[in-house]
Amino acid sequence: MDSQVFEALSAETLPVRLGGNAAVTNRIGEDSHRWTISEVGDGNLNLVFIVTGEKGAVIVKQALPYVRLVGESWPLPLKRSFFEYHALTRQAQRDPGMVPEVFFFDETQAIIVMEFLTPHVILRRALIDGRTLPRVGRNLGLFVARTLFRGSDLSMVTREKKADVALFCDNVELCDITENLVFSDPYIEATLNRHTTPQLDPLVAELRSDRDLKVEAQRLKHIFSAKAETLCHGDLHTGSVMVTEDETRVIDPEFAFYGPISFDVGMLIANFWMSYFSQAGHETRPGARDDMRLYLLETIETLWDTFRSEFANLWRTERRGILYQASLFEDRRDPLAAEQALNIVIDEIWSEMLGFAGIEIHRRILGLAHNADFETIADPERRASCESKALKLGRHLAVNRQRIHSLRDIRATVERLE
Ligand code: ADP
Ligand code: MG
Ligand code: MG
Ligand code: MG
């Protein structure tokens, strides 16, 4: 495949175009006539094929020059594939084993060939089905701590970090999607918005005229766009996590950008809170999902506690960047100064994380990209009842983020909303 002109793959053309590619044939077998191809892309943006040969299977993911969900009327550059590839290679170094292995990348064709995760399923799907995955909170807590710490000036050689900021800074169009669809559109009558209507109309009107909320959403957008602290995944929700009972894997980092450490953490935790509120829409009788609700709240606590303790561990053992140097602290027999600084840094991540979580909840209910947790609740009355509790929690988190001190307090708030 040496053509310099982009061409979208199809199930018919894929064996011809990748049949001579050693990275593929080594893994799945040479005889491309016997490959079976299925297109499984359920995302909003890209083509994803499972390609199976006599020796095995791989995933072939290809970006399209437009948004798949909307069509050719919304162009989106192919280079998002380049950012996904580079983010996957960095994440593989920073938390080995947590992202699919990449076998091949073609920048012109915007194709990534990667490890086929099987029998993994999308975490969001598992949570809708009421499955409790025991390792997810800890695995994801470690993933965010390691990737976010190790991609920052706390750890990296600053020349390399700055070069990487420059590289990812070109992911303009995907950041633009987040800047508009996450931080602004939910709070105005934007054309792409939708919500469960008429049930949510009064609450939506209230949120859109809530001055404190709108200011907070813009402060968070300001942090998102200005704080180039670390390489974020950028789209870390439960639809970007694949799981088995024993394993947790993170996929789809095409939105990768240098942003605040708190962003991925907040987005991820928000999706567990939304799963929590959606459970009432999926249970067959009231209370049938009580254990699931408990599991979700405990998973959020495990995720945050693991993030915090691993971040602290890396702070104490791998703080080799330009920030809070040991030469000022530990080397001058003042380890408590390093601990004091750590507490300040974590406190700031905590309050930003809560804010991002609140905004993420809002945009999934008021904006363009809804999530299956709520969308699969067929009865609009029931769906709106779940969504309105989530919206209220989102507002509480975004506006009060600097006055909320623990997940135990949030658990009490969540339970009062029931
Ligand atoms: P998009 O960027 O369009 O959202 P994703 O990378 O999220 O695409 O992939 C879409 C779907 O394809 C996922 O929800 C998952 O079902 C499947 N998929 C993607 N990557 C893999 C993989 N490495 N192994 C198994 N399935 C995958
Ligand atoms: Mg996706
Ligand atoms: Mg994607
Ligand atoms: Mg505080």
Side-chain angles (χ1 to χ4, degrees), residues 73-339:
S73 63
W74 185 342
L76 197 63
L78 296 171
K79 67 188 178 193
R80 62 187 187 273
S81 180
F82 171 90
F83 298 114
E84 176 161 355
Y85 165 71
H86 282 288
L88 284 169
T89 60
R90 283 155 185 70
Q91 291 163 345
Q93 287 165 4
R94 291 170 188 161
D95 194 10
M98 279 294 287
V99 298
E101 189 184 342
V102 173
F103 303 133
F104 174 75
F105 172 57
D106 181 330
E107 188 176 342
T108 308
Q109 298 302 327
I111 288 173
I112 301 171
V113 179
M114 68 182 112
E115 180 184 357
F116 172 44
L117 301 172
T118 183
H120 302 63
V121 297
I122 289 288
L123 173 59
R124 193 189 300 289
R125 186 70 247 164
L127 299 179
I128 292 169
D129 293 342
R131 286 181 58 197
T132 56
L133 286 309
R135 294 180 212 263
V136 154
R138 181 169 162 77
N139 290 341
L140 290 176
L142 291 175
F143 178 78
V144 281
R146 289 170 181 170
T147 56
L148 299 171
F149 184 94
R150 290 176 172 151
S152 77
D153 268 323
L154 294 166
S155 159
M156 285 180 81
V157 173
T158 196
R159 176 170 292 282
E160 289 168 15
K161 192 255 186 180
K162 287 179 169 74
D164 225 36
V165 171
L167 183 91
F168 280 92
C169 140
D170 193 31
N171 203 3
V172 181
E173 292 78 5
L174 276 78
C175 284
D176 174 84
I177 290 181
T178 306
E179 285 149 10
N180 287 304
L181 298 191
V182 177
F183 293 102
S184 290
D185 283 6
Y187 305 103
I188 49 182
E189 279 88 38
T191 45
L192 295 171
N193 285 345
R194 64 193 170 84
H195 63 259
T196 304
T197 186
Q199 290 83 355
L200 291 180
D201 291 355
L203 179 55
V204 174
E206 192 182 311
L207 294 172
R208 288 190 181 144
S209 58
D210 186 329
R211 183 181 289 162
D212 294 341
L213 175 60
K214 287 193 290 183
V215 169
E216 222 32 77
Q218 292 316 295
R219 284 182 71 201
L220 289 156
K221 185 179 188 174
H222 187 168
I223 296 168
F224 172 90
S225 64
K227 198 168 184 175
E229 204 174 22
T230 190
L231 182 65
C232 299
H233 179 287
D235 197 21
L236 193 55
H237 51 75
T238 49
S240 297
V241 178
M242 298 192 73
V243 292
T244 64
E245 286 295 310
D246 302 316
E247 266 200 52
T248 310
R249 299 294 202 88
V250 175
I251 63 168
D252 196 13
E254 68 192 314
F255 281 78
F257 75 110
Y258 270 80
I261 290 172
S262 52
F263 183 71
D264 283 348
V265 185
M267 271 220 160
L268 192 52
I269 288 185
N271 279 266
F272 285 97
W273 273 316
M274 285 188 274
S275 174
Y276 174 93
F277 287 111
S278 73
Q279 295 300 320
H282 299 298
E283 61 193 356
T284 46
R285 53 173 175 77
R289 293 279 183 107
D290 281 351
D291 288 350
M292 187 64 194
R293 276 185 274 267
L294 190 62
Y295 161 79
L296 288 164
L297 295 179
E298 281 172 358
T299 298
I300 290 168
E301 290 173 16
T302 304
L303 202 164
W304 172 254
D305 287 346
T306 305
F307 166 78
R308 211 179 35 146
S309 66
E310 179 68 358
F311 191 91
N313 169 43
L314 297 172
W315 179 278
R316 291 169 193 139
T317 57
E318 291 188 15
R319 207 175 73 253
R320 298 192 201 101
I322 54 167
L323 302 177
Y324 311 100
Q325 295 119 296
S327 56
L328 292 158
F329 299 156
E330 289 93 334
D331 295 355
R332 296 176 63 93
R333 297 216 194 91
D334 191 8
L336 285 185
E339 293 296 299

Side-chain angles (χ1 to χ4, degrees), residues 380-397:
E381 296 294 335
R382 221 170 156 194
R383 183 168 69 248
S385 151
C386 298
E387 289 175 327
S388 76
K389 288 170 190 160
L391 287 172
K392 287 174 190 167
L393 178 71
R395 194 266 175 200
H396 174 75
L397 296 174

Side-chain angles (χ1 to χ4, degrees), residues 7 25 119 246 344 388 404:
E7 215 182 304
T25 56
D246 302 316
I344 293 169
S388 76
I404 297 171

